[in-house]
Amino acid sequence: MAPAGDAAKLLRGAGLRPTRQRLALARLLFAEGDRHVTAERLHEEAVASKVPVSLATVYNTLHQFTEAGLLRAVAVEGAKTYFDTNTSNHFHFFCEDSANLLDIDTNAIRIEGLPEAPDGKVISRVDVLVRLVDKDG
């Protein structure tokens, strides 16, 4: 992503005003292709990049980006949420030892036999999180 122009265009296209903080966070998030990031990790990257932003602002911005369709939230444990720049339907491995989230090839899992949605509801997506631990020895 080019420094300011593409980030501003991306935000405007999602209906978000391109504020200085949103632009800086968008550049950090989308500059290197698809990735999974927590609010804490993005905050660390922002501080290291000399972006003056609080952790609360990072949380708020990530949630705004998610609501606008720029990110996909992946809940891992309780309050632990990763934000995925790949918003397509896909599944994840979660490495419990390293706390890393990895994409699973969409052809590697087949979902069958979903129940009917209750009256007045439709299934919006199916989330699959496969948990991994290191092998012993």
Side-chain angles (χ1 to χ4, degrees):
M1 171 179 292
D6 287 351
K9 187 176 181 180
L10 178 73
L11 294 176
R12 282 191 191 98
L16 295 170
R17 192 166 55 89
T19 65
R20 189 174 344 121
Q21 289 176 326
R22 284 181 183 156
L23 286 168
L25 294 175
R27 283 192 291 274
L28 289 172
L29 278 167
F30 300 108
E32 297 178 27
D34 290 333
R35 63 187 293 220
H36 307 98
V37 66
T38 62
E40 293 82 7
R41 178 69 188 138
L42 185 59
H43 182 254
E44 290 171 7
E45 291 177 17
V47 169
S49 297
K50 308 261 190 269
V51 175
V53 64
S54 70
L55 181 57
T57 298
V58 171
Y59 270 105
N60 291 337
T61 302
L62 288 170
H63 287 289
Q64 291 165 356
F65 286 6
T66 301
E67 288 173 18
L70 298 175
L71 297 174
R72 177 178 174 186
V74 180
V76 174
E77 295 184 30
K80 186 72 164 183
T81 300
Y82 287 76
F83 295 88
D84 192 345
T85 59
N86 177 355
T87 59
S88 70
N89 283 327
H90 66 284
F91 311 115
H92 295 96
F93 286 120
F94 177 67
C95 303
E96 293 183 344
D97 299 313
S98 63
N100 284 329
L101 197 65
L102 307 167
D103 289 340
I104 296 175
D105 180 354
T106 55
N107 296 321
I109 293 180
R110 188 175 64 235
I111 306 292
E112 293 182 357
L114 287 176
E116 291 282 331
D119 285 344
K121 301 289 182 186
V122 295
I123 296 171
S124 67
R125 75 178 198 212
V126 174
D127 292 325
V128 174
L129 182 71
V130 179
R131 295 175 178 277
L132 305 173
V133 294
D134 291 339
K135 288 183 182 180
D136 291 335

